[in-house]
Amino acid sequence: AVIETKAPNGGAFHPKTWLLRFVPEDGKEPVRYRFLCLSRNLTFDRSWDTALTLDGDLVDRQNAFGRNHPLSEFIAALPGMATEPVPPKAKEHVDLLADEVLRVRFEVPGDGDRFRDEERDDLAFVPMGIGRRARPDLASAKRLLIVSPFLSDGWLRDGVRGGFPRETTLVSRADSLDALKDSTYRALADAGTRLFAFSEVAETAEGDEEHGTEVVPAADRLSGLHAKLYAVEQGWSGVQLWTGSANATEAAFDGRNVEFMVGLRWLCKKKGIETLLGTPQAEGTARRNGAAALADLLVPYERIYREEDPAVAARRRLEQDLDATRSALCEAELQLAASPSADGFWEVRLQLSGEMSIPETVRGGCLPVSLGANECSELAPLLTGHELVFPAVPTYCLTRFIGFRLTASAGDETMRTAFV
């Protein structure tokens, strides 16, 4: 079941989580669960991401594990975010998962006792934007590492004023750092924050990859940094590592977005951030184990003050036009109707309630995702109140999913996007 959702507080529905339930064939072993907390979406992107895997058995006990309550509440809250009634079978599955996960004894990742602490809880589930005001605790840091592809000026300025320690390291994408206001950049620099960007080598994705019958051009796949990671170094008590979906933005941390983060306590007694980043490889030398360190992919960031490239400014405006059009279509009152036209075939009609305007730079088309690209219809008639008709659709191609392809052009610059 694919169920459309809407964040209750007006932001984005942004978590990247999986919860899988495994039942033994012989019935003798316990039911087993796997929970994944990712920064990666369901895409073919070649970006740098984080993935956390937690496995555990369903334990025969009356009382829940206290640390699992936030995870259970998150799962149980999902049907309430649906934009339409949830199918009964899907609701039944969700209820079962939300109930059983309370009694799952999750194991923290291996690597000896690296993430185990007998004196403190070594695992924390933190859903954000579902009514709970919980969020990762960054204010307790004596030293702090922030890895986030996207940034907001307000969140960073608030952090500098109210919580970031003097020894803070921020890793982001070069374009995100470039987009910060000068006042934010100066505040970070004055606070002693170390700024790093991914190197061009780490940002580059070369060639095409084939996925089934679809070839995804490199230009249409996200590359570079997409991981969200926060390392809160607390002196001799170790490091609290947070990973998941939340970017270093106000929308993520103020409860507007729905996000999910998991915290692990890492028993690194000192220099935990340096251990996490690693030591950059000296030029002309080879690593003993052949593995690269995160530091090998980073370059110190310094702002270069120069006039903005007109082409860069044009692409930014086109990207904004595409985002505005996509948001408007996703929020539009689209109606889909099918009526039989011949034996085994249907006439499918797509209509928009009222009219809708989009930026003059944007053109596009749409079609049911089960049809071939040659059956794509121009978007313009739909926006002016006319029906788009897809005749002779086979029964096995009936679908509620409509794919849109948008192109924004101005002068010599062109940008494209596609969504469902």
Side-chain angles (χ1 to χ4, degrees), residues 212-351:
T213 59
E214 179 182 13
V215 175
V216 184
D220 293 340
R221 298 194 305 270
L222 177 67
S223 62
L225 180 68
H226 192 245
K228 292 88 168 154
L229 181 69
Y230 303 83
V232 180
E233 194 172 300
Q234 300 165 320
W236 288 99
S237 62
V239 178
Q240 185 82 3
L241 286 177
W242 293 96
T243 189
S245 65
N247 286 295
T249 63
E250 291 164 302
F253 278 80
D254 69 3
R256 271 178 289 167
N257 288 358
V258 176
E259 311 273 4
F260 203 98
M261 301 290 285
V262 174
L264 295 169
R265 188 165 298 282
W266 182 23
L267 297 181
C268 188
K269 297 301 184 184
K270 60 181 180 178
K271 294 188 176 180
I273 290 174
E274 282 77 3
T275 302
L276 190 64
L277 291 175
T279 304
Q281 182 178 356
E283 188 173 352
T285 64
R287 294 189 179 277
R288 292 181 180 178
N289 60 3
L294 180 57
D296 292 328
L297 309 177
L298 306 180
V299 292
Y301 174 84
E302 290 186 15
R303 177 158 295 191
I304 300 175
Y305 292 94
R306 57 176 179 262
E307 291 187 12
E308 185 175 36
D309 185 340
V312 174
R315 288 194 294 270
R316 182 180 297 118
R317 287 193 293 271
L318 292 179
E319 186 176 11
Q320 291 170 347
D321 288 347
L322 289 174
D323 284 344
T325 304
R326 179 173 56 189
S327 296
L329 285 168
C330 288
E331 295 174 2
E333 302 254 348
L334 293 172
Q335 298 171 348
L336 197 63
S339 56
S341 60
D343 187 23
F345 290 89
W346 300 74
E347 181 181 82
V348 176
R349 303 182 308 280
L350 179 66
Q351 188 173 24

Side-chain angles (χ1 to χ4, degrees), residues 1 20 25 85 151 155 165-166 188 196 211 218 224 282 295 339 355 416:
L20 301 95
E25 292 182 352
L151 310 168
W155 190 87
R166 183 73 183 177
L188 291 168
F196 290 92
H211 303 275
S339 56
E355 296 184 357
R416 297 179 176 85

Side-chain angles (χ1 to χ4, degrees), residues 11 20 29 62 67 112 122 167 174-175 179 184 195 201 244 247 259 276 285 325 328 339 341 350 371 382 393 396:
L20 301 95
E29 299 295 324
Q62 293 292 325
R67 68 184 184 185
D122 49 16
E167 294 187 67
D175 56 350
T184 305
L195 302 178
V201 173
N247 286 295
E259 311 273 4
L276 190 64
T285 64
T325 304
S339 56
S341 60
L350 179 66
L371 301 184
L382 179 70
V393 176
Y396 64 85

Side-chain angles (χ1 to χ4, degrees), residues 194-210:
R194 298 190 301 166
L195 302 178
F196 290 92
F198 256 41
S199 67
E200 292 184 4
V201 173
E203 292 279 359
T204 303
E206 297 180 353
D208 291 347
E209 286 185 355
E210 186 172 343

Side-chain angles (χ1 to χ4, degrees), residues 156-179:
L156 290 172
R157 285 198 300 268
D158 288 346
V160 169
R161 285 196 296 262
F164 291 172
R166 183 73 183 177
E167 294 187 67
T168 294
T169 301
L170 173 61
V171 177
S172 188
R173 301 168 66 98
D175 56 350
S176 295
L177 292 165
D178 287 342

